[in-house]
Amino acid sequence: WTSVDSLFVRVRTDDGLEGWGEGWGHVACPTTMAALSSLVGPAFIGRDTRDRNALMQEMQHRFHIHGRTGPFMYALSAIEIALWDIAGKAASQPIAALLGGAPRELDAYASLLRYSEPPLVAAAVERALAQGFRHIKLHEERLD
């Protein structure tokens, strides 16, 4: 693969604050977008977003019939991430501070695909190292 699709969601409050969230799911992006536009997104319109925990619990209960994984969870997660972004902007603080921690440097890692052939794995690792990654997550399965 040379790319992976992502779905970005913008939430705008009545006060004009905007937050962005990501609805991960690469191949599920069209289905996640359908869930967002037809059911999940409209359920949030006009709602008070200041109590994120209560609102998200309510929405998870409301949409639990659709499962605990997949497009509905991706859609809910995208909105929740956007609500945290809004909360950080409203408080003029990084989200880490809202979560009770101090901002800190994090080491990014390369999360590789499952290549299944050792030469392909080696080439992908070399590319990641050349890009400056110091940590690499492999998804290989050894079948002997």
Side-chain angles (χ1 to χ4, degrees), residues 13-50:
T13 68
D14 290 339
D15 299 334
L17 289 175
E18 290 185 350
W20 288 88
E22 181 183 8
W24 186 89
H26 58 97
V27 297
C29 285
T31 310
T32 302
M33 183 62 201
L36 270 165
S37 61
S38 64
L39 295 171
V40 177
F44 282 86
I45 294 175
R47 299 300 305 270
D48 185 347
T49 61
R50 289 175 289 190

Side-chain angles (χ1 to χ4, degrees), residues 2 14 24 26 28 34 51 57 61 70 82 84 87 90 95 104 114-115 122 128 133 136:
T2 58
D14 290 339
W24 186 89
H26 58 97
D51 188 351
Q57 282 182 341
H61 179 74
W84 276 104
I95 295 170
R104 59 188 169 108
R114 182 173 295 150
Y115 293 99
F133 289 101
I136 299 172

Side-chain angles (χ1 to χ4, degrees), residues 5 8 31 34 39 57 68 73 103 111 115 117 131 135:
D5 291 336
F8 292 96
T31 310
L39 295 171
Q57 282 182 341
R68 304 302 304 151
M73 288 305 293
S111 181
Y115 293 99
E117 296 179 29
Q131 292 171 343
H135 306 283

